[in-house]
Amino acid sequence: MAVARHSRLAPAVVVPDELSLTMWGHDPSRLALTPSAWPGRAEQLLLAEPLPRQLQPALEQLRAQLPDQVWTTTVEVPLTVESPEADRDGDAHADGHSGHGEHIAEGDDGDHDHHDMMAIVGEPSADGLVMEPIRFRHGPLAPGLPGGLALAVELDGDVVADCRAEAQLAVEPVAGPQGPVDPLARIAWTVLIDSATEQAGGLRAQQSVRWRRLAAVELERALSHAAWLRCMGRLLGWSSFVDQAQAAVTELLVAQPEVALGGTVNLPETDRLAAARQPLVELRQTATHSGALRRRLAGRGRVLHADAPELQGPNARAGGQPRDGRSHDPLYRQLGFETLLESHADALARTRLRAREAVQAVELAVLAQQQARQAPQSAPAEGPRDAGVTTLEGPRGPLIAAYRDRLQMSAPGTQAALSAAGR
């Protein structure tokens, strides 16, 4: 899979967001585009199809901000969604807001004369000034946020007094046993469902297939983390960090495997996997040693275990919680896997942890690929029929599949992460 390199990347508004399109195989750089935070400066609109109906009103408002000469590029994505329970009766968002970045002042009924002076009432802020609360909504299509996520924010002057994160979409499995719950971890879900299906049928995949599956999952983890770090760099307005992350994403896309639904996994040669390691090492060095990054992120967005005990995945490990399903997997233990941790539970810790885990993921993929080549190519063996729970550590936390009356799938920690984002 060749990734084109272009001398100029045209600015584009990416819907629903850059990370999602990258994980769906449509990285903007491959289309000679770079995400822009300013719709008025965009030259293209890169749009995922189908776009869930819950995002259509926000998309129309976004279109109104684009220059007239902007044209639209659509890409097909594997997404099946429906609205949350609270939104089943229509497209109205919580609190009655449906706009993209609209704001409503406390006590504003929309009918007063804006030419009249308004009395400012309320309790004094920390600085002793009486400020009128301003409420506004950011999202569900907004630069810096995942598509479908909205922030309901209350400002007290220039201070954020309250913030609530709301998901406008609820992802459901597509029809059939192969549908992923989380479309941003398609490879991990495919591998998990194949394993759960085999387990329920009393089969045990041959060793070489299990090793190739491990390599595929780890390569997807590395790509997910690198794309996440690229988004972080854009938020900070740090072009050199974005360039480092882009170099890693490009190499990982070249080496990305194709996972067939039948349980077979085709992976690139080991040297192609190894080539993706160097840009990730450079990204890890920047995340670990950069004083500029430390000044921007240290102490921000701390999510302590006591405040969010149900956090999973990288968010939990960035706070010192060794929650990683790979530590219990005999294949990972055979590769010498060790859970990576950070201790401060802030934005810097989450950034550093993902940078470290991305390097580790590629190294694990290389080792697993070597093991796959050495393993005997025997037919699947009979195993004990077990309809129990099968767990796999995905890029953003544990993924669980179980056959009972039907295939049941879940991703623990998702709601805890959303609640922590609001706090």
Side-chain angles (χ1 to χ4, degrees), residues 224-271:
S224 177
H225 286 358
W228 187 98
L229 291 164
R230 184 178 58 183
C231 292
M232 172 63 76
R234 293 200 199 279
L235 283 175
L236 297 176
W238 190 0
S239 59
S240 61
F241 191 81
V242 172
D243 291 343
Q244 279 191 320
Q246 180 63 63
V249 168
T250 298
E251 292 295 341
L252 289 166
L253 287 172
V254 170
Q256 190 177 35
E258 297 292 336
V259 179
L261 298 182
T264 60
V265 181
N266 301 315
L267 283 172
E269 296 298 322
T270 303
D271 56 350

Side-chain angles (χ1 to χ4, degrees), residues 32 45 56 168 184 195 294 313 344 368:
L45 169 64
Q56 289 293 343
Q168 301 301 306
L184 300 187
S195 300
R294 183 174 62 254
H344 294 290

Side-chain angles (χ1 to χ4, degrees), residues 57-411:
L59 174 62
E60 294 309 311
Q61 295 182 31
L62 185 61
R63 286 184 187 275
Q65 304 176 42
L66 298 174
D68 294 337
Q69 67 272 21
V70 165
W71 70 87
T72 301
T73 300
T74 61
V75 291
E76 185 176 350
V77 299
L79 186 61
T80 300
V81 297
E82 67 173 27
S83 59
E85 291 291 340
D87 195 32
R88 292 289 171 88
D89 296 330
D91 290 330
H93 302 309
D95 300 327
H97 303 324
S98 60
H100 177 78
E102 64 179 328
H103 71 274
I104 299 177
E106 183 72 26
D108 186 356
D109 59 7
D111 296 327
H112 63 264
D113 185 349
H114 287 272
H115 294 286
D116 295 336
M117 294 295 292
M118 297 178 60
I120 299 177
V121 297
E123 296 295 326
S125 302
D127 57 7
L129 299 177
V130 178
M131 304 296 295
E132 184 175 7
I134 298 176
R135 294 172 180 166
F136 75 97
R137 189 179 190 83
H138 190 55
L141 292 178
L145 291 181
L149 187 67
L151 299 181
V153 183
E154 180 176 308
L155 298 179
D156 182 10
D158 59 357
V159 175
V160 177
D162 184 63
C163 177
R164 184 174 66 255
E166 302 167 354
Q168 301 301 306
L169 306 174
V171 180
E172 285 203 343
V174 297
Q178 303 294 349
V181 169
D182 181 356
L184 300 187
R186 297 176 62 211
I187 291 176
W189 272 114
T190 300
V191 168
L192 175 67
I193 293 169
D194 282 344
S195 300
T197 303
E198 292 163 356
Q199 184 172 318
L203 296 175
R204 182 179 296 126
Q206 56 184 308
Q207 193 77 350
S208 60
V209 170
R210 295 173 62 197
W211 282 119
R212 291 199 300 273
R213 287 175 176 174
L214 189 156
V217 169
E218 288 305 315
L219 194 51
E220 182 181 55
R221 188 188 321 279
L223 178 61
S224 177
H225 286 358
W228 187 98
L229 291 164
R230 184 178 58 183
C231 292
M232 172 63 76
R234 293 200 199 279
L235 283 175
L236 297 176
W238 190 0
S239 59
S240 61
F241 191 81
V242 172
D243 291 343
Q244 279 191 320
Q246 180 63 63
V249 168
T250 298
E251 292 295 341
L252 289 166
L253 287 172
V254 170
Q256 190 177 35
E258 297 292 336
V259 179
L261 298 182
T264 60
V265 181
N266 301 315
L267 283 172
E269 296 298 322
T270 303
D271 56 350
R272 290 174 58 186
L273 290 174
R277 180 181 181 275
Q278 185 56 38
L280 288 171
V281 169
E282 295 173 0
L283 194 60
R284 181 185 62 185
Q285 291 173 341
T286 301
T288 303
H289 302 295
S290 171
L293 192 67
R294 183 174 62 254
R295 289 189 292 271
R296 292 292 298 277
L297 300 183
R300 295 182 181 272
R302 295 194 72 195
V303 183
L304 300 177
H305 174 66
D307 298 326
E310 296 181 357
L311 276 182
Q312 302 287 339
N315 292 322
R317 295 191 289 273
Q321 300 299 314
R323 297 180 176 177
D324 195 319
R326 293 175 292 177
S327 61
H328 307 296
D329 190 312
L331 293 185
Y332 279 97
R333 289 201 299 268
Q334 187 173 335
L335 297 180
F337 170 79
E338 294 184 1
T339 301
L340 300 180
L341 299 174
E342 294 284 337
S343 59
H344 294 290
D346 57 5
L348 180 62
R350 291 188 288 274
T351 299
R352 286 178 171 176
L353 182 75
R354 282 179 171 85
R356 295 170 59 201
E357 284 194 351
V359 176
Q360 181 192 50
V362 169
E363 293 172 345
L364 289 170
V366 170
L367 293 174
Q369 184 75 332
Q370 293 171 350
Q371 292 288 340
R373 291 194 177 93
Q374 298 171 6
Q377 302 294 320
S378 57
E382 292 289 333
R385 185 178 296 273
D386 185 356
V389 175
T390 305
T391 302
L392 184 149
E393 187 71 21
R396 296 185 293 171
L399 311 177
I400 298 176
Y403 269 104
R404 292 186 173 90
D405 295 334
R406 58 185 177 85
L407 180 62
Q408 299 176 345
M409 299 178 286
S410 63

